[in-house]
Amino acid sequence: MTPRARRSMRRVLAAALLLAPVAALAPVALADPGIAAVTVHSSPGGGQTYSLTVQVLLLMTAVTLLPAILLMMTAFTRIMIVLSILRQALGAGQTPPNQVLLGIALFLTLFVMAPVLDRINQQAVQPYIAGKLEAGAALEKAVVPLKGFMLAQTRESDIATFVRISGGKGYATPQDVPLTVLVPAFVTSELKTAFIIGFLIFIPFVIIDLVVASVLMSMGMMMLSPVLISLPFKLMLFVLVDGWSLVMGTLAASFYS
């Protein structure tokens, strides 16, 4: 393989390393420095043929796991659940639509995960591009910042639960917790945190619904839907207190409080 082709392949693998640190679950398969990403064979007619090796196959497999990585190993789950509960509390039907909520959750996730991605880039991607680290060592270094983020958001009780389920006896340090235990514990903690935040957001809107329903009952307007009357008041309250800014700021700050 020409030096230019090797540099191009190294950049492709580095980009995948930044997006898919979960591939560290299989560092042994990638650690052999003797496995070339692409093997070049000279054909009898003077041409060249290329064959992919196990390393590229594992890389392509890791890319297919990116949606699961986004959902289960980042801030996306908490943000999306809170936004969905907020929309339900407002009672505005499908406004904002699902596409808008997904877009907000995705870019807010990138904002929250930016420090983690920067550390992965500095500690693993750039040394790998410079040729100072092999693929296996780079993947092991890339997963460390991600594990640190997940451990900071995961309750010890949730980790203990999955350690007990797996039959383990505990670990000396938090960094020793494997991803097979940390990921489900992290998701469980994120679900609990998201529902707590959603509950606190829901309370003011429930109070408005109760006040409107009581007023309508006292006026004898029992056939008029309280939801129809309370919706403008909830929207007005949410806009007056700058609700979107408060929710976004609170969500982002909840990961680094």
Side-chain angles (χ1 to χ4, degrees), residues 181-193:
V181 173
L182 181 57
V183 171
F186 170 74
V187 173
T188 302
S189 291
E190 286 294 281
L191 290 174
K192 182 177 181 179
T193 303

Side-chain angles (χ1 to χ4, degrees), residues 26-124:
V28 177
L30 299 177
D32 186 1
I35 300 178
V38 178
T39 305
V40 183
H41 302 280
S42 298
S43 59
Q48 293 180 332
T49 58
Y50 301 87
S51 61
L52 300 178
T53 58
V54 175
Q55 191 176 38
V56 176
L57 178 62
L58 292 175
L59 174 63
M60 295 172 63
T61 303
V63 171
T64 63
L65 297 176
L66 285 179
I69 296 172
L70 176 65
L71 289 173
M72 300 290 102
M73 302 178 69
T74 67
F76 184 85
T77 299
R78 182 190 303 185
I79 295 171
M80 190 62 198
I81 291 176
V82 171
L83 292 178
S84 299
I85 293 176
L86 172 61
R87 182 176 65 178
Q88 186 174 357
L90 285 171
Q94 292 298 314
T95 304
N98 291 330
Q99 293 86 345
V100 174
L101 293 184
L102 285 171
I104 294 173
L106 177 60
F107 281 96
L108 191 57
T109 299
L110 293 177
F111 173 79
V112 171
M113 301 297 296
V116 178
L117 295 178
D118 287 340
R119 288 196 294 272
I120 292 175
N121 182 55
Q122 295 173 6
Q123 298 175 12

